[in-house]
Amino acid sequence: MTNGIEKRTATLIGVLAVLLWSLLALFTTVVAAIPPFQLVSLCFSIASILSCIWITLRGGSVFRALRQPVGAWMLGVAGLFGYHFFYFVALANAPAVEASLIAYLWPLFIVLFSALLPGEKLRWHHVAGGLLGLSGAVLLVSKGQGLYFDPAFALGYGAAMVCSFLWSGYSVLNRRYRDVPVNAVCGFCAGAAVLGFVTHGMTEVWVSPDFSQWMAILGLGLGPVGAAFFVWDYGTKHGDIQILGVASYGAPLLSTCFLIIFGKALATPVVIAGCILIVAGAVLASRELLFRSKSRTNFQQP
């Protein structure tokens, strides 16, 4: 029972990443004028610095946190920076809607790839839940306008597919390094920041942020491009990977809700239908966890 409770707790911690990622669109509306790789490098720098301070204040050793296997370093930096690199390449070489949807295949890939992990079983409701979530994401991102994949944008589509494979592969393979502490993510963020600055210097021109943009960058470094990766690291290592994969479709759902609340989007019938599909997919994929918890509660009642 203890292992089951720990797994549920780790899954809930991992879901916090989805909640934080849902704030990404709201923050990025403030920093839209900042070049993407400059933004990524600044956010990861903030995440790395603040996490090092946090580790030190809690009596930990940053040096010890960084002493991890080479494979863990390669996987962590490739996952964090590689995803953003290929995502921005995709957006630069293909229409944003189609590129974003291809890149957002990663939650479904997580569900499918998880079957390769020792001790994991892929069941029909995991796949069905993932497909429902994907359908809802398609509606939210496309706004019901349909999709058209033009072969002329093959480079962008290919980069988006690499992007989805990178993040899903990172999330699933992360289970192999479950003994690597979450504190090590501070080093992975630092590595991603360095690569971001190098790429920015090679491809972009520096834009000086104003006060409101700096506040948004700080918010991103604290949450969606900071703490989110720490809780996702813990969740993918110790939680239910299939549920986390399907729950990740909650990011566009919550993101849309935040945009509606702050007056930057409208609650159209298409948006409502997309939200219903995503919620239905998450419930379906989590049926074992929900029913198991319910039956255990009933059993414990006098």
Side-chain angles (χ1 to χ4, degrees), residues 171-188:
S171 300
V172 173
L173 291 175
N174 205 28
R175 186 66 64 90
R176 292 189 58 189
Y177 297 98
R178 62 189 310 160
D179 294 330
V180 173
V182 174
N183 288 346
V185 177
C186 71
F188 306 156

Side-chain angles (χ1 to χ4, degrees), residues 261-284:
I261 291 172
F262 286 92
K264 298 181 181 297
L266 298 175
T268 64
V270 170
V271 168
I272 294 173
C275 293
I276 292 174
L277 284 171
I278 290 174
V279 172
V283 171
L284 180 59

Side-chain angles (χ1 to χ4, degrees), residues 3-301:
N3 289 335
I5 293 174
E6 291 176 351
K7 187 172 184 178
R8 286 202 304 276
T9 302
T11 303
L12 292 174
I13 290 174
V15 170
L16 289 176
V18 179
L19 298 176
L20 291 170
W21 287 330
S22 68
L23 296 170
L24 192 61
L26 194 60
F27 276 115
T28 51
T29 57
V30 182
V31 293
I34 306 298
F37 288 111
Q38 176 186 337
L39 181 62
V40 165
S41 58
L42 289 173
C43 292
F44 276 124
S45 295
I46 291 171
S48 179
I49 293 170
L50 293 181
S51 59
C52 286
I53 294 174
W54 174 256
I55 292 170
T56 303
L57 290 177
R58 289 172 57 86
S61 169
V62 175
F63 179 73
R64 186 177 304 160
L66 300 181
R67 291 179 57 187
Q68 303 303 331
V70 175
W73 271 93
M74 294 178 64
L75 180 65
V77 176
L80 269 59
F81 178 74
Y83 172 84
H84 292 87
F85 177 85
F86 283 100
Y87 182 69
F88 293 136
V89 170
L91 291 182
N93 293 277
V97 171
E98 286 79 6
S100 296
L101 284 174
I102 294 174
Y104 221 79
L105 287 171
W106 64 261
L108 182 60
F109 287 157
I110 285 178
V111 174
L112 298 177
F113 294 162
S114 66
L116 302 176
L117 291 173
E120 297 289 350
K121 292 183 179 180
L122 184 62
R123 303 186 185 279
W124 71 266
H125 55 271
H126 294 135
V127 178
L131 291 174
L132 279 175
L134 177 60
S135 300
V138 169
L139 285 179
L140 290 181
V141 175
S142 68
K143 297 180 176 62
Q145 299 300 312
L147 302 171
Y148 175 67
F149 294 95
D150 189 338
F153 300 113
L155 174 61
Y157 298 152
M161 186 61 74
V162 172
C163 171
S164 62
F165 276 119
L166 270 176
W167 190 250
S168 57
Y170 160 74
S171 300
V172 173
L173 291 175
N174 205 28
R175 186 66 64 90
R176 292 189 58 189
Y177 297 98
R178 62 189 310 160
D179 294 330
V180 173
V182 174
N183 288 346
V185 177
C186 71
F188 306 156
C189 287
V194 171
L195 292 176
F197 276 120
V198 171
T199 308
H200 164 69
M202 295 173 61
T203 62
E204 300 171 340
V205 177
W206 175 270
V207 173
S208 297
D210 58 25
F211 179 77
S212 62
Q213 290 171 332
W214 273 119
M215 290 299 98
I217 291 170
L218 178 61
L220 286 167
L222 283 170
V225 194
F229 295 113
F230 288 82
V231 293
W232 185 252
D233 179 82
Y234 187 82
T236 54
K237 285 176 178 174
H238 307 286
D240 190 312
I241 191 71
Q242 287 104 346
I243 292 178
L244 285 174
V246 176
S248 297
Y249 282 117
L253 182 157
L254 294 172
S255 178
T256 301
C257 291
F258 283 128
L259 291 175
I260 291 173
I261 291 172
F262 286 92
K264 298 181 181 297
L266 298 175
T268 64
V270 170
V271 168
I272 294 173
C275 293
I276 292 174
L277 284 171
I278 290 174
V279 172
V283 171
L284 180 59
S286 308
R287 65 187 294 270
E288 286 183 345
L289 183 66
L290 296 173
F291 292 156
R292 186 167 62 243
S293 298
K294 183 177 180 180
S295 62
R296 182 173 295 149
T297 300
N298 293 336
F299 178 77
Q300 291 176 348
Q301 289 177 348

